[in-house]
């Protein structure tokens, strides 16, 4: 059994979706990041930067893993699903781009544009602009390739999709990006994605473009 210690955010949803996709038995332990539960000493033992998500693999000596990209790789290797070793080089590139660029930039856009509008014009403009260019870049890629890393759905898509699922907060206009919308809708229809998106059982529905 896998224990998922998480909150209901795009990084948390990645792992809910992956666990549904591979059909593993799992239980969710909620970490309320609005009430600073991530800073509790027992959580910091398994998450040195005090961040969700973390998993504990109770079938593997209670191994704890932090960082959503590392968790996806672990689960992909363990299940032999969505992380085809022959495609590993491509999958890793798109996964690392999500971890190092797409997520952190869109995360800042959420902070300035959605949560704190009016506090910093510079911050709002900067992250709006880069978020738009991320939409352009992803759209271009998905015009050449069915999925981010090639012909097959992979952990790179699972890592990126929950960030685009916050498109209503972005005000970029997902509909205007034909290839990105095609990819977004195709993934939105997967049963595991519908369930994993709502891994906290809050009856959350995936937002339409
Ligand atoms: N690179 C990390 C980022 C994790 C992250 O930023 N988690 C946020 C929620 S999405 C968090 O735990 N925030 C609590 C805090 O910063 O205090 C990953 O992908 O796992």
């Amino acid at each position: 059994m896998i224990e998922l210690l998480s909150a209901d955010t795009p990084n948390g949803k990645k792992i809910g979706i992956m666990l549904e996709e591979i059909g593993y038995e799992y239980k969710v332990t909620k970490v309320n990041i609005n009430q600073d539960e991530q800073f509790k000493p027992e959580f910091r033992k398994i998450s040195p930067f005090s961040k969700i998500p973390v998993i504990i693999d109770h079938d593997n000596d209670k191994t704890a893993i932090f960082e959503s990209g590392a968790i996806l790789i672990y689960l992909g290797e363990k299940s032999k699903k969505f992380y085809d070793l022959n495609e590993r080089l491509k999958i890793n590139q798109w996964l690392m781009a999500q971890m190092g660029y797409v997520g952190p930039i869109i995360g800042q856009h959420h902070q300035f544009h959605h949560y704190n509008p009016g506090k910093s014009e510079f911050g709002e403009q900067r992250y709006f602009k880069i978020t738009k260019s991320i939409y352009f870049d992803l759209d271009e890629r998905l015009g050449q390739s069915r999925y981010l890393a090639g012909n097959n759905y992979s952990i790179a898509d699972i890592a990126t999709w929950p960030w685009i699922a916050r498109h209503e907060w972005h005000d970029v206009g997902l509909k205007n990006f034909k290839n990105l919308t095609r990819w977004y809708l195709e993934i939105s229809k997967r049963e595991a994605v519908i369930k994993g998106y709502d891994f906290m059982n809050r009856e959350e529905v995936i937002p339409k473009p």
Side-chain angles (χ1 to χ4, degrees), residues 9 11 14 33 38-39 50-53 67-69 99:
T9 70
N11 287 323
K14 289 175 189 174
I33 57 175
Q38 69 275 32
F39 299 110
S50 310
K51 304 282 181 213
I52 62 90
E67 274 294 319
S68 61
M99 298 300 301

Side-chain angles (χ1 to χ4, degrees), residues 101-167:
Y101 180 53
V102 175
I105 290 290
I106 297 183
Q108 292 308 308
H109 183 47
H110 290 172
Q111 286 302 321
F112 286 104
H113 181 77
H114 181 77
Y115 289 116
N116 297 286
K119 286 205 179 146
S120 164
E121 199 184 331
F122 173 78
E124 278 183 55
Q125 284 179 3
R126 172 176 166 78
Y127 292 105
F128 206 151
K129 187 173 165 200
I130 316 179
T131 298
K132 267 189 218 157
S133 78
I134 289 173
Y135 272 59
F136 273 104
D137 296 339
L138 290 175
D139 191 64
E140 188 171 55
R141 170 63 181 164
L142 292 164
Q144 301 152 358
S145 179
R146 182 167 175 195
Y147 293 105
L148 288 173
N151 289 329
N152 300 312
Y153 176 66
S154 75
I155 57 172
D157 301 290
I158 295 173
T160 308
W161 182 90
W163 286 92
I164 302 303
R166 283 267 156 96
H167 59 88

Side-chain angles (χ1 to χ4, degrees), residues 57-123:
D57 187 345
H58 288 271
D59 300 326
N60 183 15
D61 222 7
K62 295 198 174 176
T63 302
I65 304 148
F66 69 96
E67 274 294 319
S68 61
I71 297 170
L72 289 172
I73 290 174
Y74 177 80
L75 293 174
E77 285 180 341
K78 185 172 165 116
S79 65
K80 300 191 170 50
K81 285 184 178 163
F82 311 113
Y83 192 48
D84 180 349
L85 295 188
N86 297 319
E87 299 293 327
R88 185 155 61 172
L89 189 56
K90 273 197 202 142
I91 298 172
N92 284 352
Q93 290 172 71
W94 287 96
L95 178 66
M96 297 304 144
Q98 190 290 314
M99 298 300 301
Y101 180 53
V102 175
I105 290 290
I106 297 183
Q108 292 308 308
H109 183 47
H110 290 172
Q111 286 302 321
F112 286 104
H113 181 77
H114 181 77
Y115 289 116
N116 297 286
K119 286 205 179 146
S120 164
E121 199 184 331
F122 173 78

